[in-house]
Amino acid sequence: MTQVLVLVFALLIGVIAGLRAMTAPAAVAWGAFLGWIDVDGKWSEWVAHPITVTVLTILLVGELITDQLPKTPSRKVPPQFLARLVTGGFAGAVIGSAFFHTFSATGAGMIGAVLGTLAGAELRTRVAAARGGNDRPGAFIEDALAVVGGFLVAFLVSVV
């Protein structure tokens, strides 16, 4: 049962990466730092280091700001899409490392990133259409979903 839950959490953190690429690694770093994700003595132990947490938090905040800019490229263009695959896979791997399921959790995180990328783009499109082309409300909704969801997933890992 634990392996299934690990893969579900890895998939969910991947979805978060699809919404906001830097939110997933920042959330798992905070989760590791706070002891929610047990990385002690594992390859991923460095993620819990205060410097790593600080850098990823700065990148997260920067992404939340730049996402509001009108010239920000679509998440579906290759560089943006690839970034989400990488960060989703990485965040999934960190969660998986806590239970010695790094490789399968990496794949689940990447699959989640694809789902989150496509679902997030669709959400923004629909909200923009309903608001006469204004996608800023959709961006704020997505920001909140990503940040709250990312930290919720990281916390729930501690329950397993």
Side-chain angles (χ1 to χ4, degrees), residues 9-10 12-13 16 37 95 148-158:
F9 290 139
L12 291 172
I13 205 67
I16 300 303
I37 302 172
I95 288 174
V148 171
F151 281 88
L152 180 61
V153 171
F155 171 74
L156 289 175
V157 171
S158 69

Side-chain angles (χ1 to χ4, degrees), residues 29-106:
W30 274 103
F33 178 75
L34 295 171
W36 299 341
I37 302 172
D38 179 19
V39 295
D40 191 38
K42 299 173 178 92
W43 68 265
S44 54
E45 186 171 28
W46 62 274
V47 174
H49 193 281
I51 292 173
T52 306
V53 174
T54 301
V55 168
L56 289 173
T57 301
I58 290 167
L59 292 171
L60 162 63
V61 171
E63 181 180 36
L64 294 176
I65 292 167
T66 60
D67 183 61
Q68 304 301 320
L69 302 175
K71 301 237 182 215
T72 302
S74 166
R75 74 187 77 212
K76 296 192 288 184
V77 300
Q80 298 287 335
F81 198 87
L82 181 61
R84 285 163 166 73
L85 287 175
V86 169
T87 60
F90 171 74
V94 171
I95 288 174
S97 73
F99 303 93
F100 304 101
H101 295 297
T102 298
F103 294 111
S104 56
T106 302

